[in-house]
Short mmCIF file of all heavy atoms in Angstrom, two decimals:
data_model
loop_
_atom_site.label_atom_id
_atom_site.label_comp_id
_atom_site.label_asym_id
_atom_site.label_seq_id
_atom_site.Cartn_x
_atom_site.Cartn_y
_atom_site.Cartn_z
N ALA A 160 6.95 -4.45 14.14
CA ALA A 160 7.56 -5.66 13.54
C ALA A 160 8.41 -6.39 14.56
O ALA A 160 8.43 -7.62 14.63
CB ALA A 160 8.41 -5.26 12.38
N GLU A 161 9.17 -5.70 15.35
CA GLU A 161 10.03 -6.24 16.35
C GLU A 161 9.22 -6.99 17.40
O GLU A 161 9.56 -8.05 17.91
CB GLU A 161 10.96 -5.25 16.99
CG GLU A 161 12.06 -4.74 16.04
CD GLU A 161 12.91 -3.68 16.67
OE1 GLU A 161 12.40 -3.00 17.64
OE2 GLU A 161 13.99 -3.39 16.17
N GLU A 162 8.13 -6.40 17.82
CA GLU A 162 7.18 -6.92 18.83
C GLU A 162 6.63 -8.16 18.34
O GLU A 162 6.43 -9.22 19.02
CB GLU A 162 6.08 -5.94 19.15
CG GLU A 162 6.42 -4.88 20.19
CD GLU A 162 5.19 -4.18 20.76
OE1 GLU A 162 4.24 -4.01 20.01
OE2 GLU A 162 5.24 -3.73 21.88
N GLN A 163 6.16 -8.20 17.00
CA GLN A 163 5.60 -9.28 16.45
C GLN A 163 6.52 -10.50 16.39
O GLN A 163 6.20 -11.63 16.66
CB GLN A 163 5.11 -9.09 14.98
CG GLN A 163 4.37 -10.21 14.32
CD GLN A 163 3.85 -9.89 12.98
OE1 GLN A 163 4.30 -8.91 12.36
NE2 GLN A 163 2.93 -10.63 12.45
N ALA A 164 7.82 -10.15 15.97
CA ALA A 164 8.81 -11.17 15.99
C ALA A 164 9.10 -11.78 17.37
O ALA A 164 9.25 -13.01 17.57
CB ALA A 164 10.11 -10.69 15.33
N GLY A 165 9.13 -10.89 18.29
CA GLY A 165 9.39 -11.33 19.72
C GLY A 165 8.13 -12.18 20.22
O GLY A 165 8.36 -13.21 20.93
N ALA A 166 6.99 -11.83 19.82
CA ALA A 166 5.76 -12.59 20.18
C ALA A 166 5.83 -14.00 19.69
O ALA A 166 5.40 -14.95 20.41
CB ALA A 166 4.49 -11.83 19.76
N LEU A 167 6.27 -14.16 18.46
CA LEU A 167 6.37 -15.47 17.96
C LEU A 167 7.27 -16.38 18.74
O LEU A 167 7.06 -17.61 18.77
CB LEU A 167 6.81 -15.43 16.50
CG LEU A 167 5.76 -14.91 15.44
CD1 LEU A 167 6.39 -14.78 14.03
CD2 LEU A 167 4.59 -15.73 15.43
N GLN A 168 8.30 -15.83 19.35
CA GLN A 168 9.33 -16.58 20.04
C GLN A 168 8.92 -16.77 21.50
O GLN A 168 9.16 -17.85 22.17
CB GLN A 168 10.71 -15.91 19.99
CG GLN A 168 11.23 -15.83 18.63
CD GLN A 168 12.57 -15.07 18.56
OE1 GLN A 168 13.14 -14.86 19.56
NE2 GLN A 168 13.10 -14.81 17.35
N MET A 169 8.25 -15.77 22.15
CA MET A 169 8.07 -15.72 23.56
C MET A 169 6.70 -16.14 24.04
O MET A 169 6.51 -16.70 25.10
CB MET A 169 8.34 -14.29 24.08
CG MET A 169 9.75 -13.77 23.82
SD MET A 169 11.07 -14.78 24.66
CE MET A 169 10.56 -14.45 26.32
N LEU A 170 5.64 -15.92 23.20
CA LEU A 170 4.29 -16.22 23.57
C LEU A 170 3.90 -17.50 23.11
O LEU A 170 4.16 -18.00 22.03
CB LEU A 170 3.39 -15.09 23.11
CG LEU A 170 3.65 -13.65 23.52
CD1 LEU A 170 2.56 -12.73 22.97
CD2 LEU A 170 3.68 -13.54 25.04
N ASP A 171 2.97 -18.16 23.94
CA ASP A 171 2.40 -19.48 23.43
C ASP A 171 1.30 -19.19 22.40
O ASP A 171 0.87 -17.92 22.18
CB ASP A 171 1.91 -20.26 24.61
CG ASP A 171 0.78 -19.72 25.33
OD1 ASP A 171 -0.03 -18.93 24.75
OD2 ASP A 171 0.62 -19.92 26.52
N VAL A 172 0.89 -20.23 21.75
CA VAL A 172 -0.10 -20.02 20.62
C VAL A 172 -1.38 -19.37 21.07
O VAL A 172 -1.91 -18.49 20.34
CB VAL A 172 -0.39 -21.40 19.99
CG1 VAL A 172 -1.47 -21.20 18.91
CG2 VAL A 172 0.86 -22.11 19.38
N GLU A 173 -1.92 -19.70 22.29
CA GLU A 173 -3.16 -19.02 22.68
C GLU A 173 -3.01 -17.51 22.89
O GLU A 173 -3.93 -16.80 22.51
CB GLU A 173 -3.64 -19.75 23.96
CG GLU A 173 -4.09 -21.23 23.72
CD GLU A 173 -4.56 -21.85 25.00
OE1 GLU A 173 -4.74 -21.11 26.01
OE2 GLU A 173 -4.83 -23.06 24.95
N LYS A 174 -1.91 -17.10 23.43
CA LYS A 174 -1.67 -15.68 23.60
C LYS A 174 -1.49 -15.06 22.26
O LYS A 174 -1.95 -13.86 22.01
CB LYS A 174 -0.45 -15.51 24.51
CG LYS A 174 -0.68 -15.83 25.90
CD LYS A 174 0.56 -15.62 26.76
CE LYS A 174 0.33 -15.95 28.25
NZ LYS A 174 0.06 -17.41 28.41
N ARG A 175 -0.76 -15.63 21.36
CA ARG A 175 -0.57 -15.10 20.01
C ARG A 175 -1.90 -14.97 19.24
O ARG A 175 -2.26 -13.96 18.67
CB ARG A 175 0.34 -15.96 19.14
CG ARG A 175 1.77 -15.76 19.50
CD ARG A 175 2.65 -16.66 18.63
NE ARG A 175 3.20 -17.84 19.40
CZ ARG A 175 3.50 -18.97 18.88
NH1 ARG A 175 3.45 -19.20 17.58
NH2 ARG A 175 4.00 -19.96 19.65
N LEU A 176 -2.81 -15.97 19.43
CA LEU A 176 -4.10 -15.96 18.85
C LEU A 176 -4.99 -14.84 19.40
O LEU A 176 -5.69 -14.09 18.74
CB LEU A 176 -4.82 -17.33 18.98
CG LEU A 176 -6.23 -17.39 18.48
CD1 LEU A 176 -6.28 -17.01 16.95
CD2 LEU A 176 -6.80 -18.76 18.73
N ALA A 177 -4.93 -14.70 20.70
CA ALA A 177 -5.81 -13.67 21.35
C ALA A 177 -5.25 -12.30 20.91
O ALA A 177 -6.11 -11.43 20.63
CB ALA A 177 -5.55 -13.78 22.88
N LYS A 178 -3.95 -12.15 20.83
CA LYS A 178 -3.42 -10.84 20.29
C LYS A 178 -3.81 -10.59 18.85
O LYS A 178 -4.24 -9.46 18.46
CB LYS A 178 -1.90 -10.82 20.46
CG LYS A 178 -1.23 -9.56 20.12
CD LYS A 178 0.21 -9.56 20.41
CE LYS A 178 0.90 -8.19 20.27
NZ LYS A 178 0.67 -7.66 18.94
N LEU A 179 -3.81 -11.64 18.05
CA LEU A 179 -4.21 -11.49 16.63
C LEU A 179 -5.68 -11.07 16.53
O LEU A 179 -6.01 -10.09 15.77
CB LEU A 179 -3.98 -12.81 15.86
CG LEU A 179 -4.58 -12.84 14.46
CD1 LEU A 179 -3.76 -11.87 13.51
CD2 LEU A 179 -4.47 -14.27 13.91
N LEU A 180 -6.59 -11.72 17.28
CA LEU A 180 -8.02 -11.33 17.26
C LEU A 180 -8.18 -9.88 17.65
O LEU A 180 -9.00 -9.15 17.04
CB LEU A 180 -8.79 -12.27 18.10
CG LEU A 180 -8.75 -13.77 17.69
CD1 LEU A 180 -9.51 -14.62 18.71
CD2 LEU A 180 -9.45 -13.94 16.32
N LEU A 181 -7.46 -9.48 18.70
CA LEU A 181 -7.63 -8.09 19.13
C LEU A 181 -7.07 -7.15 18.16
O LEU A 181 -7.57 -6.08 17.99
CB LEU A 181 -6.88 -7.89 20.52
CG LEU A 181 -7.59 -8.73 21.68
CD1 LEU A 181 -6.66 -8.70 22.88
CD2 LEU A 181 -8.90 -8.01 21.99
N ASP A 182 -5.93 -7.50 17.46
CA ASP A 182 -5.38 -6.59 16.49
C ASP A 182 -6.34 -6.42 15.30
O ASP A 182 -6.53 -5.31 14.85
CB ASP A 182 -4.07 -7.22 15.94
CG ASP A 182 -2.89 -7.07 17.01
OD1 ASP A 182 -3.06 -6.24 17.93
OD2 ASP A 182 -1.86 -7.71 16.79
N LEU A 183 -6.95 -7.55 14.82
CA LEU A 183 -7.94 -7.44 13.74
C LEU A 183 -9.12 -6.60 14.25
O LEU A 183 -9.64 -5.78 13.42
CB LEU A 183 -8.38 -8.86 13.32
CG LEU A 183 -7.38 -9.70 12.67
CD1 LEU A 183 -7.97 -11.10 12.38
CD2 LEU A 183 -6.93 -9.09 11.30
N HIS A 184 -9.48 -6.75 15.44
CA HIS A 184 -10.62 -5.93 15.94
C HIS A 184 -10.26 -4.42 15.97
O HIS A 184 -11.01 -3.54 15.57
CB HIS A 184 -10.93 -6.36 17.39
CG HIS A 184 -12.00 -5.53 18.02
ND1 HIS A 184 -11.76 -4.59 18.96
CD2 HIS A 184 -13.36 -5.67 17.97
CE1 HIS A 184 -12.90 -4.07 19.40
NE2 HIS A 184 -13.85 -4.67 18.79
N GLY A 185 -9.01 -4.13 16.32
CA GLY A 185 -8.53 -2.78 16.31
C GLY A 185 -8.28 -2.24 14.97
O GLY A 185 -8.19 -0.99 14.81
N LYS A 186 -8.21 -3.07 13.93
CA LYS A 186 -8.01 -2.49 12.60
C LYS A 186 -9.32 -2.15 11.95
O LYS A 186 -9.37 -1.76 10.79
CB LYS A 186 -7.37 -3.71 11.70
CG LYS A 186 -5.89 -3.81 11.86
CD LYS A 186 -5.17 -2.65 11.42
CE LYS A 186 -3.62 -2.86 11.41
NZ LYS A 186 -2.89 -1.69 10.90
N GLY A 187 -10.42 -2.22 12.69
CA GLY A 187 -11.67 -1.80 12.15
C GLY A 187 -12.40 -2.80 11.25
O GLY A 187 -13.06 -2.47 10.32
N THR A 188 -12.21 -4.04 11.59
CA THR A 188 -12.88 -5.13 10.80
C THR A 188 -14.15 -5.55 11.52
O THR A 188 -14.70 -6.52 11.18
CB THR A 188 -11.94 -6.33 10.69
OG1 THR A 188 -11.63 -6.86 11.98
CG2 THR A 188 -10.69 -6.03 10.00
N GLU A 189 -14.71 -4.69 12.36
CA GLU A 189 -15.98 -4.91 12.98
C GLU A 189 -17.09 -4.95 11.91
O GLU A 189 -17.00 -4.25 10.93
CB GLU A 189 -16.33 -3.89 14.03
CG GLU A 189 -15.48 -4.00 15.32
CD GLU A 189 -16.04 -3.09 16.38
OE1 GLU A 189 -17.05 -2.37 16.16
OE2 GLU A 189 -15.34 -2.93 17.35
N LEU A 190 -18.12 -5.77 12.10
CA LEU A 190 -19.21 -5.81 11.27
C LEU A 190 -20.48 -5.31 11.95
O LEU A 190 -20.80 -5.77 13.07
CB LEU A 190 -19.48 -7.32 10.82
CG LEU A 190 -18.22 -7.94 10.22
CD1 LEU A 190 -18.55 -9.43 9.93
CD2 LEU A 190 -17.94 -7.33 8.82
N SER A 191 -21.18 -4.33 11.41
CA SER A 191 -22.42 -3.84 11.89
C SER A 191 -22.39 -3.26 13.22
O SER A 191 -23.27 -3.37 13.97
CB SER A 191 -23.50 -4.96 11.78
OG SER A 191 -23.62 -5.43 10.47
N GLY A 192 -21.23 -2.69 13.70
CA GLY A 192 -21.05 -2.12 15.01
C GLY A 192 -20.98 -3.12 16.06
O GLY A 192 -20.98 -2.70 17.23
N THR A 193 -20.92 -4.37 15.84
CA THR A 193 -20.83 -5.42 16.86
C THR A 193 -19.33 -5.82 16.97
O THR A 193 -18.63 -5.73 16.01
CB THR A 193 -21.78 -6.60 16.60
OG1 THR A 193 -21.33 -7.18 15.30
CG2 THR A 193 -23.18 -6.15 16.50
N PRO A 194 -18.98 -6.45 18.18
CA PRO A 194 -17.60 -6.91 18.27
C PRO A 194 -17.34 -8.20 17.41
O PRO A 194 -17.20 -9.31 18.09
CB PRO A 194 -17.45 -7.13 19.76
CG PRO A 194 -18.81 -7.46 20.23
CD PRO A 194 -19.76 -6.64 19.35
#
Side-chain angles (χ1 to χ4, degrees):
E161 290 174 341
E162 277 194 333
Q163 184 178 18
L167 287 176
Q168 297 179 9
M169 301 297 294
L170 301 181
D171 64 30
V172 176
E173 291 182 9
K174 292 180 177 62
R175 282 179 257 158
L176 176 56
K178 188 176 186 303
L179 172 67
L180 295 176
L181 292 169
D182 287 345
L183 291 175
H184 178 260
K186 282 292 188 179
T188 59
E189 287 188 9
L190 306 172
S191 305
T193 60

